[in-house]
Amino acid sequence: MLAQRISLLSGSGTATAREAATRAAATGCQIIDLAAGEVIIQPPSSVREGAIAAIKAGTNRYTDSIGLSPLRKKVAEKLSAETGLAWNAEDIVITAGAKQGLLDAALAVLDPGDEVIIIRPYWPTFPSQVLLAGARPVFVDAHAPTYIPDVDAIGGAITRHTKAIIINSPNNPTGAVYDRAILRAIGDLAINYQLWIVSDECYSSFVFTGARHESILMAYPELRSRTILVNAFSKELAITGWRLGYFAAPPEIVSATKKLQSHTTSNPNVIAQYAILHHLQVGDGRFELEMHQRLSQARNTGLLILSGLHDVTIPGAKGSFFFYLDLSSLVTSLPDRGLVRSTDDIARLLLEETGVASVAGRAFGDVNGLRLSFGAPPHLLESGLKRVVETLNRLKTTEEVAYTS
Ligand code: PLP
């Protein structure tokens, strides 16, 4: 018999979409994968060379549970340059990806009975980790087309049990980027109600509005004693499988995590730590710039193609690398008795008949959305999106018999 906590966990909707795509591809179908939450590109040579050098040097030992000191120092320097705030190695914890940092945060601050406010649509791991920590997720809906949450709605969800608010800007899945006003308003709530802010900024390199990413701590430095700022190299350097992230937090969180990580993973992978350290020492920023240029171009091309959609508002896609389509009016217009009646059905249709993998919004707690990644290789992205537009526009016509009768 399994522990009760396992029954609280939903499977990862994004992983399920990926698995469905892999199964379809195994049957010989040519699938264009727009479901993956990663940019398909080789990581920078400095990262690869750093890893090879570490292996050649025979690096094989445990490190400090919260990471190598020189790496923590380099990350502190990077974060200081990016945020304009002063960070030291002592403020930084190296983690096995942002995901471990977020779990550390949940385990360090939550007790059973606590509530955590999560903005919906959400990245599915947020509520799962809150549940794992024995606490209760409380959802506040952010609506299309901006997906910026309403501060009064967040305030209205606060109770005497509320312990934290999780925010994620740039956002997965919606692509929303929170501006200074919303960040400050959320910060006021955190101060007034003495809440923790967990700020997941792992898409911070991907803002396409011409502005730079603004961390909640840049907007509101006074929040520093109650904020855990989580980030990772996974997306920025296209090394999702290498598992290396970090967070910056007040001293009590850093020392709690030193204990936590020593009992969970011992330390983040040592080769990945040396690889990133090497990149931070010798990287000239060119890779990051080229990555941004590639995604910016992919976004422009994608938005142009998506502008051919009938009755679907063009997504903002201001940050991260996702187009998040609000299909509510399309779904409402579908025949009641057809086989395609929901965004789940649409995602299935796209996979099975159109050959494009996407993620239906249900994975993010939203039955109206559909997520398409623009991290796919550019030529595939273009033909994948064209097929999506064709299929969705065709669905509007009542003659969609192939799948509806
Ligand atoms: N946070 C968000 C919002 C994500 O979308 C992801 C991955 O998709 C993560 C965290 C996990 O990042 P990592 O691979 O560094 O654990």
Side-chain angles (χ1 to χ4, degrees), residues 173-327:
T174 67
V177 173
Y178 294 7
D179 66 13
R180 180 161 283 230
I182 178 77
L183 292 171
R184 283 205 60 89
I186 292 172
D188 281 339
L189 290 174
I191 292 204
N192 291 343
Y193 293 95
Q194 303 192 358
L195 307 176
W196 284 101
I197 293 282
V198 177
S199 183
D200 178 345
E201 303 183 13
C202 73
Y203 294 92
S204 58
S205 312
F206 310 122
V207 175
F208 304 106
T209 53
R212 288 186 57 188
H213 163 71
E214 183 157 48
S215 167
I216 190 162
L217 287 178
M218 294 159 78
Y220 213 137
E222 302 86 335
L223 286 174
R224 195 155 158 166
S225 61
R226 53 181 66 259
T227 297
I228 303 169
L229 190 169
V230 179
N231 209 320
F233 296 99
S234 310
K235 316 281 174 177
E236 180 176 311
L237 299 179
I239 50 166
T240 45
W242 291 48
R243 313 309 303 133
L244 212 79
Y246 59 93
F247 67 75
E252 68 270 31
I253 301 291
V254 173
S255 50
T257 307
K258 199 170 163 70
K259 287 191 255 178
L260 268 172
Q261 290 198 169
S262 80
H263 294 301
T264 52
T265 49
S266 288
N267 57 262
N269 179 295
V270 65
I271 302 298
Q273 288 194 65
Y274 275 106
I276 298 301
L277 177 58
H278 183 66
H279 174 74
L280 294 177
Q281 284 164 341
V282 306
D284 55 8
R286 210 174 327 155
F287 175 87
E288 289 85 341
L289 191 65
E290 282 170 11
M291 171 91 125
H292 192 277
Q293 281 167 348
R294 168 174 147 183
L295 287 173
S296 186
Q297 209 164 4
R299 173 180 178 269
N300 291 343
T301 309
L303 287 176
L304 198 64
I305 297 170
L306 292 172
S307 69
L309 281 168
H310 303 157
D311 296 334
V312 178
T313 309
I314 303 307
K318 293 191 168 163
S320 73
F321 42 80
F322 302 110
F323 296 124
Y324 194 66
L325 304 181
D326 168 26
L327 299 184

Side-chain angles (χ1 to χ4, degrees), residues 14 18 36-38 95-102 122-126 129 167-173 200-203 230-235 239-246 320-322 364 371:
T14 47
R18 264 202 326 267
E38 50 200 345
T95 59
K99 210 172 246 185
Q100 185 180 32
L102 291 161
Y122 49 72
W123 180 57
T125 295
F126 294 143
Q129 292 188 339
I167 58 171
N168 171 221
S169 170
N171 190 271
N172 174 14
D200 178 345
E201 303 183 13
C202 73
Y203 294 92
V230 179
N231 209 320
F233 296 99
S234 310
K235 316 281 174 177
I239 50 166
T240 45
W242 291 48
R243 313 309 303 133
L244 212 79
Y246 59 93
S320 73
F321 42 80
F322 302 110
F364 315 111
R371 193 190 79 174

